[in-house]
DNA sequence: AATATGTTGACAAATTTAGTAGAGTTTCTT
DNA sequence: AAGAAACTCTACTAAATTTGTCAACATATT
């Protein structure tokens, strides 16, 4: 019932890049965050395809945030890495709990699960990375 | 990032017992909820030791709720089966993120994780099983 | 051209979750 | 007292997911 280690790492990596305020290569990120190089590469790829991080190839390559920390939420990062947050196991709109003791009737717990999940997502969206940065850095804006 | 199947089953089982309003044996519960007999026995044991369900041995034995549905919350059931809910992986009070890029400084995400987890738990505590019962049953009280 | 970097998909190990087995104990009924 | 119908307990196995690794490749800079 926790976020996965991978998501935890992803948060660290984004945090690390937000603090650095400059391009870092995978090796530096890996050392800074104590995530193995290989695994951080994998996570970085997800962050890149999720549009949170930009990558640059070649000698002076590396990774940097694709937008300002203020515009990156905890939800962006976690959702990118492990998909949308949901308490209930049965996603999608028209779920009917054929197995519930009510038999074929909409699962009576679905609503509460969805409500709570929605709140969690809302909270995670409201929490942006500028909130964990030292004041000066938080003020700055990426181009 | 979902509740586990086991917790899901546990909720169904409690719901089933709440609807039944009478003692049921494991076989009946298993059939009603579509959880295998063996697995439901395992879950029932947890529910018993968690004080949510009472068990009775012998020929007329079986299981019944240990208290009225109104006094059993979603959180009671889920916590009994899979432990206290927490988003963050690092439980316990004095956690320090030695691995974070801040190095040895309290993890800056800890607070938000705990806040959100707290809200989830609060919501799950507020949701009691009488809320998913037909009106008449919900009104009744167990001795 | 050489080197430093990121990209990709497949693979493997570790951990957690899900489910099973069997021998034992208690209680009720007759 | 016997027997059956229940629950109890510990351990084990199987499946799924998470975590982490590898190797060959593509791209950019100097």
């Amino acid at each position: 019932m926790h976020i996965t280690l991978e998501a935890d790492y992803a948060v660290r990596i984004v945090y690390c890049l937000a603090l650095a305020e400059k391009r870092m290569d995978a090796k530096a990120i890996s050392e800074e965050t104590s995530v193995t190089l290989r695994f951080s590469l994998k996570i970085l790829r997800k962050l890149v395809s999720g549009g949170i991080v930009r990558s640059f190839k070649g000698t002076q390559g590396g990774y940097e945030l694709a937008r300002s920390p203020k515009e990156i939420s905890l939800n962006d990062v976690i959702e990118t890495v492990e998909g949308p947050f949901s308490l209930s196991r049965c996603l999608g709109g028209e779920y009917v709990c054929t197995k519930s003791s009510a038999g074929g009737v909409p699962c009576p717990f679905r609503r509460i699960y969805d409500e709570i999940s929605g709140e969690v997502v809302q909270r995670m969206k409201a929490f942006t990375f500028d909130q964990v940065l030292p004041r000066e850095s938080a003020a700055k804006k990426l181009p």
Side-chain angles (χ1 to χ4, degrees), chain A:
Chain A
M1 210 50 230
H2 307 144
I3 59 172
T4 61
L5 239 200
E6 190 180 14
D8 204 60
Y9 288 165
V11 169
R12 278 194 221 166
I13 287 173
V14 170
Y15 178 49
C16 170
L17 284 171
L19 280 178
E21 299 183 59
K22 66 177 180 195
R23 190 176 301 176
M24 292 177 78
D25 66 23
K27 186 150 173 289
I29 292 172
S30 144
E31 283 168 357
E32 193 68 16
T33 57
S34 302
V35 180
T36 65
L37 177 59
R38 290 293 192 169
F39 202 31
S40 62
L41 281 170
K42 189 176 194 169
I43 293 167
L44 280 163
R45 253 179 290 129
K46 288 194 189 182
L47 291 172
V48 168
S49 59
I52 293 170
V53 161
R54 264 199 298 262
S55 68
F56 301 85
K57 296 184 177 182
T59 318
Q60 296 303 313
Y63 301 87
E64 48 184 59
L65 296 185
R67 47 186 195 270
S68 115
K70 189 170 182 177
E71 295 167 274
I72 301 177
S73 74
L74 194 55
N75 191 65
D76 291 337
V77 176
I78 292 181
E79 180 165 332
T80 293
V81 168
E82 62 181 27
F85 178 90
S86 171
L87 278 182
S88 87
R89 313 176 55 80
C90 33
L91 305 167
E94 14 57 59
Y95 174 75
V96 168
C97 221
T98 53
K99 284 183 168 179
S100 95
S101 64
V105 154
C107 169
F109 299 94
R110 182 65 189 282
R111 171 191 288 241
I112 184 72
Y113 286 146
D114 285 353
E115 262 182 49
I116 297 179
S117 305
E119 272 184 32
V120 171
V121 169
Q122 218 178 310
R123 291 292 252 111
M124 292 203 304
K125 278 185 180 166
F127 192 85
T128 50
F129 278 79
D130 60 320
Q131 294 177 43
V132 287
L133 254 30
R135 285 238 163 270
E136 331 82 61
S137 325
K140 282 189 195 174
K141 271 255 182 177
L142 260 53

